[in-house]
Amino acid sequence: MYPPPPPYYGAPPPAAFYAPPPMMAPPRRYSPWLVPLIFLVNLGMFIWIMYENNCPSRMSKDQCMGGHFLDRFSFQPWRDNRMIGPTPETLQRLGGLDNKLVLNGEAWRLFSAMWLHAGLIHLFVNMLSLDFVGLRLEQDFGFHRFGFVYVLAGLGGSLGSCLNIIKQQRTSKTISVGASGAIFGLLGASLSELITNWTVYDDKCSTIMILILNAALNLLIGFLLHMDNSAHVGGLVAGFFLGFVFFVKPQLGYVSSKYMPTHNQVKRTARHNFCQYFLGVVGLVVSIILFATAFGKLFNIKEIRQHLPDSVNKY
């Protein structure tokens, strides 16, 4: 007698049954667009400045640099502007930082000055530094945080320039322009970002050296070209403390919940550690104190309070 046939279990499952579960697509890499936009705005502003300057209307085309080729867009003679650009009067009229005008109610110049440049050399150096530092920061932290630090650091540079003029009690007409304060702010923010995100970086020493050398080189260029280094220092200090607030990365080992399976019971690493929170609070408090002190000294809060009613001064 023959044994009964084995039970029928059906056809074997397809090969896809044994394949691993599909992985989620990695997050799409952010492509910077604000830094190129800032570059184009600064370039467009410089072209507009040269159009408004109109060197041939002040002197003959033979005296203007490139007068016969560039016509209205030609540059002032070398003896007038060694940056290869317009006259100081044109820069002042179009929004350059003039301390007396700021104190007389034109506080908007604290922001407008960072979009103007004194010449081609000035524009080239600043835009080169902007690309070197800004592209990585915008790619890592997004346009909103990058743009906020850029503008506030530029404001810090303008305040530093005005306070330096008041401290030295200059009587000569001094016009300060350029994105140098904002760019030095990005350098300072890069350094504080390295400190607060220390565990994320592998080659820390070389990164620090590159940042320090870049800042030193820009300061040296500022001295050689007689730029306003007080704006550089003001932007650097403002950006350094703002970087602790806005440029914070998740610590090493952190994984977002959307990339972890729901049944995983492994203890997750916190997004930020205590030092990052502490440095963020310190950076925010110091930034508020620095800006409040700078505005107070610039607009002389004591004199303003003398003209306010007593009911307001109580508070």
Side-chain angles (χ1 to χ4, degrees):
M1 190 169 181
Y2 296 100
Y8 177 71
Y9 293 102
F17 178 80
Y18 300 100
M23 299 291 292
M24 290 188 63
R28 189 176 179 181
R29 187 68 171 171
Y30 175 81
S31 298
W33 60 267
L34 185 57
V35 170
L37 180 62
I38 292 174
F39 173 82
L40 292 176
V41 170
N42 280 279
L43 181 61
M45 290 293 293
F46 183 73
I47 294 174
W48 176 55
I49 290 170
M50 297 313 303
Y51 175 82
E52 292 290 333
N53 185 68
N54 194 9
C55 180
S57 67
R58 306 167 185 268
M59 57 189 70
S60 66
K61 291 185 178 182
D62 294 329
Q63 292 178 296
C64 298
M65 295 180 64
H68 293 283
F69 176 68
L70 298 174
D71 195 31
R72 187 183 180 112
F73 296 92
S74 57
F75 308 106
Q76 292 298 125
W78 179 260
R79 67 176 183 273
D80 295 341
N81 188 341
R82 296 188 178 183
M83 295 279 191
I84 312 178
T87 62
E89 290 77 18
T90 301
L91 293 172
Q92 181 198 41
R93 180 164 52 88
L94 298 180
L97 188 61
D98 188 329
N99 190 50
K100 293 181 180 179
L101 294 178
V102 171
L103 295 177
N104 287 333
E106 299 184 12
W108 54 270
R109 291 178 179 270
L110 294 170
F111 293 96
S112 63
M114 71 177 73
W115 305 101
L116 308 177
H117 287 83
L120 271 179
I121 298 176
H122 192 197
L123 178 67
F124 175 77
V125 172
N126 279 349
M127 294 302 101
L128 189 65
S129 300
L130 174 65
D131 289 343
F132 178 79
V133 183
L135 286 174
R136 182 190 67 85
L137 289 176
E138 185 187 352
Q139 193 172 47
D140 288 349
F141 300 101
F143 72 92
H144 50 293
R145 286 192 277 180
F146 171 84
F148 201 67
V149 172
Y150 182 86
V151 172
L152 284 181
L155 176 62
S158 297
L159 289 171
S161 179
C162 286
L163 292 176
N164 183 55
I165 294 173
I166 294 175
K167 182 180 180 180
Q168 295 185 1
Q169 297 180 349
R170 298 182 194 171
T171 56
S172 60
K173 202 173 187 68
T174 304
I175 306 298
S176 180
V177 293
S180 306
I183 293 169
F184 267 84
L186 296 180
L187 287 170
S190 297
L191 184 58
S192 59
E193 183 263 328
L194 175 64
I195 295 173
T196 193
N197 303 320
W198 188 259
T199 59
V200 179
Y201 288 92
D202 294 328
D203 198 356
K204 303 177 178 63
C205 293
S206 62
T207 305
I208 292 176
M209 290 302 299
I210 290 173
L211 290 174
I212 293 176
L213 287 175
N214 192 13
L217 180 62
N218 278 275
L219 283 173
L220 179 61
I221 293 174
F223 280 113
L224 294 177
L225 298 179
H226 304 288
M227 294 182 183
D228 189 2
N229 275 319
S230 58
H232 299 171
V233 175
L236 183 70
V237 174
F240 178 75
F241 288 105
L242 289 170
F244 288 122
V245 182
F246 295 100
F247 292 162
V248 183
K249 292 181 178 180
Q251 64 174 325
L252 189 64
Y254 169 78
V255 180
S256 177
S257 57
K258 64 181 179 180
Y259 296 114
M260 295 182 66
T262 56
H263 61 273
N264 196 326
Q265 301 297 327
V266 178
K267 184 179 179 181
R268 293 173 54 196
T269 304
R271 183 180 180 87
H272 302 299
N273 56 38
F274 172 77
C275 290
Q276 289 177 312
Y277 285 115
F278 176 76
L279 291 173
V281 172
V282 171
L284 179 62
V285 172
V286 174
S287 297
I288 294 174
I289 292 174
L290 288 176
F291 278 104
T293 304
F295 275 110
K297 288 187 175 182
L298 178 62
F299 294 102
N300 205 340
I301 299 299
K302 292 182 179 180
E303 290 187 3
I304 295 176
R305 291 188 62 180
Q306 292 176 359
H307 301 284
L308 296 176
D310 296 335
S311 58
V312 177
N313 283 327
K314 290 180 181 180
Y315 300 97

